[in-house]
Amino acid sequence: MLNMIIDIQDETGTLHDEHFEVVRGLLEAAAAAENIDSDTEVSVIFLNDESLHELNRTYRGVDRPTDVLSFALEEEGEDEPAIVGDRFPQALGDIAISVETAERQANDYGHSFMREIGFLAVHGFLHLCGYDHGTVEQEKRMFEKQKGLLTAYGLEK
């Protein structure tokens, strides 16, 4: 079994161990499916709408809340030195999820809150792995991957 380093934080104080276990399990399964090295590190933080709104405005220039944001850490910016060395785990990135939006979307889509946070975690993780949904082809590939991972984990719609 893959032993990826997964740091999960709940800034809302509303989630339970069961939520963390499902997110951790899904990310482990997604990492295995993507052949991610075992010394890879990813962080997941659960926030409220206000915090995601601020992140969305600051980092994407979009002035509204959103459900999930991914911040890839392995991408080098302009004039940014590469961090290399075998002592460091590969820092894949950070995933920020709005608990409030996840609750609303679960109700809107008619499925469980657990399924929704699982979907958002996998969606964010796949973005960190280079998936996107900017074109019809990209969206089809990414959403098929998400659906397969969620179904295999028992979190179908």
Side-chain angles (χ1 to χ4, degrees):
M1 181 76 176
L2 187 65
N3 194 16
M4 186 168 64
I5 303 162
I6 304 171
D7 178 42
I8 300 176
Q9 297 177 43
D10 175 19
E11 295 294 317
T12 69
T14 60
L15 301 180
H16 305 287
D17 288 343
E18 180 185 15
H19 298 113
F20 306 139
E21 290 170 18
V22 166
V23 168
R24 189 175 310 281
L26 275 167
L27 294 183
E28 289 277 353
E34 291 300 309
N35 296 312
I36 300 295
D37 291 334
S38 62
D39 66 344
T40 300
E41 184 174 358
V42 66
S43 295
V44 180
I45 186 166
F46 291 96
L47 300 166
N48 60 26
D49 277 350
E50 182 180 340
S51 297
L52 253 305
H53 186 161
E54 182 62 33
L55 289 172
N56 209 18
R57 180 176 42 240
T58 301
Y59 293 102
R60 295 185 59 229
V62 179
D63 193 15
R64 63 177 170 78
T66 190
D67 51 4
V68 61
L69 291 171
S70 298
F71 300 95
L73 297 179
E74 290 291 314
E75 294 177 358
E76 292 174 31
E78 210 172 294
D79 298 323
E80 185 177 8
I83 300 173
V84 294
D86 56 3
R87 323 187 314 239
F88 303 106
Q90 176 187 0
L92 194 58
D94 300 325
I95 303 166
I97 297 172
S98 171
V99 172
E100 293 168 325
T101 298
E103 288 172 340
R104 280 193 307 278
Q105 289 178 171
N107 288 331
D108 291 348
Y109 300 143
H111 56 240
S112 71
F113 174 70
M114 187 72 80
R115 196 264 182 205
E116 187 63 20
I117 62 169
F119 168 82
L120 294 173
V122 168
H123 186 87
F125 183 81
L126 290 176
H127 274 303
L128 295 179
C129 293
Y131 287 80
D132 202 357
H133 43 83
T135 68
V136 172
E137 296 84 22
Q138 290 172 332
E139 182 176 296
K140 183 178 182 203
R141 181 174 174 243
M142 183 174 187
F143 282 58
E144 282 177 358
K145 176 68 83 168
Q146 289 171 169
K147 183 178 180 183
L149 288 164
L150 291 164
T151 299
Y153 206 79
L155 289 177
E156 299 175 80
K157 277 192 166 187

